[in-house]
Amino acid sequence: MTTNFFTNLASLNIKAGWKLNIINTPDNKLVVSVALFDDKLDDKTLKQLQPLQFTGTAKEIDDGFFQTIETPMKATDVLFSNTAKYMQALEEAKKNAQQEKDKKGKEKKSEEPKAKTFETDMQKVDDLIEKEKYAEALLQLPKPETYPGKVNEIEAKREELWVLQDKKENTLFS
């Protein structure tokens, strides 16, 4: 006996796996259940898809089986494929979002030590001002390009130091 069942099945070009269940009933009919599956998909909704079910004589099922299953099985296969692609894109997006979050966290961390360093540098300048060592304080003043967000503060301190230095040099009893 020769059959072309599997040739017809292969010609549908379905990428998902097949589940076929065939039951003989007492009244000489067949109950045929057909479903697709994809173990790579974890989506509960897809796993809840009901199988196609046919009941009829062997001749009735032979005559209409492939014409009946072709459209719904191809649609299901496309759904599985699209879902797999979507899930893959979703994972990629999550990974990229995490990388961006990590990147921003690193940037924030790198900014925090700079702020502490700026405060430390400015404290050294203030200590020299208290000792009236204005020329040294000018040399210790951080460069504006080191702290781009603090340019105005650095320039204001520089002006203050020049004024203090100038007053000190123009005092009779220095």
Side-chain angles (χ1 to χ4, degrees):
M1 171 162 72
T2 305
T3 179
N4 61 355
F5 179 82
F6 293 103
T7 304
N8 287 337
L9 203 62
S11 72
L12 294 176
N13 200 26
I14 303 290
K15 304 293 183 232
W18 291 89
K19 287 185 180 181
L20 293 170
N21 192 15
I22 303 169
I23 301 171
N24 285 319
T25 65
D27 58 349
N28 289 330
K29 291 194 176 184
L30 295 175
V31 177
V32 179
S33 172
V34 181
L36 294 179
F37 70 93
D38 189 340
D39 289 334
K40 293 177 273 182
L41 296 178
D42 193 29
D43 190 8
K44 293 175 186 173
T45 306
L46 293 176
K47 291 183 179 186
Q48 291 176 358
L49 287 175
Q50 295 296 314
L52 287 176
Q53 190 166 328
F54 309 97
T55 303
T57 65
K59 173 84 171 114
E60 291 170 338
I61 293 175
D62 275 345
D63 290 343
F65 181 75
F66 284 100
Q67 295 84 356
T68 305
I69 70 165
E70 181 175 14
T71 301
M73 290 298 127
K74 283 187 175 182
T76 303
D77 192 47
V78 167
L79 174 65
F80 283 4
S81 176
N82 288 343
T83 301
K85 289 176 185 173
Y86 175 80
M87 297 305 286
Q88 187 177 22
L90 183 63
E91 286 302 315
E92 189 67 29
K94 283 181 183 177
K95 187 172 108 176
N96 289 341
Q98 185 61 41
Q99 287 174 347
E100 276 300 312
K101 186 178 176 183
D102 292 346
K103 183 178 173 183
K104 286 183 181 180
K106 287 178 183 176
E107 286 174 3
K108 193 172 186 177
K109 285 179 183 176
S110 67
E111 287 174 13
E112 288 173 8
K114 260 191 174 179
K116 291 177 185 173
T117 305
F118 176 76
E119 298 302 323
T120 304
D121 290 348
M122 292 306 283
Q123 184 59 48
K124 291 176 186 175
V125 171
D126 289 339
D127 291 344
L128 291 168
I129 290 172
E130 283 181 28
K131 296 176 185 174
E132 295 184 5
K133 296 181 177 183
Y134 307 122
E136 287 181 48
L138 276 166
L139 292 173
Q140 284 292 319
L141 198 62
K143 291 179 175 49
E145 52 274 2
T146 306
Y147 304 102
K150 304 286 188 177
V151 171
N152 292 338
E153 196 173 330
I154 293 169
E155 291 305 320
K157 187 62 83 171
R158 185 179 317 283
E159 291 297 320
E160 176 188 342
L161 284 167
W162 279 113
V163 168
L164 291 170
Q165 176 70 19
D166 196 38
K167 281 183 182 178
K168 183 178 180 184
E169 289 176 357
N170 292 329
T171 305
L172 279 175
F173 301 104
S174 55

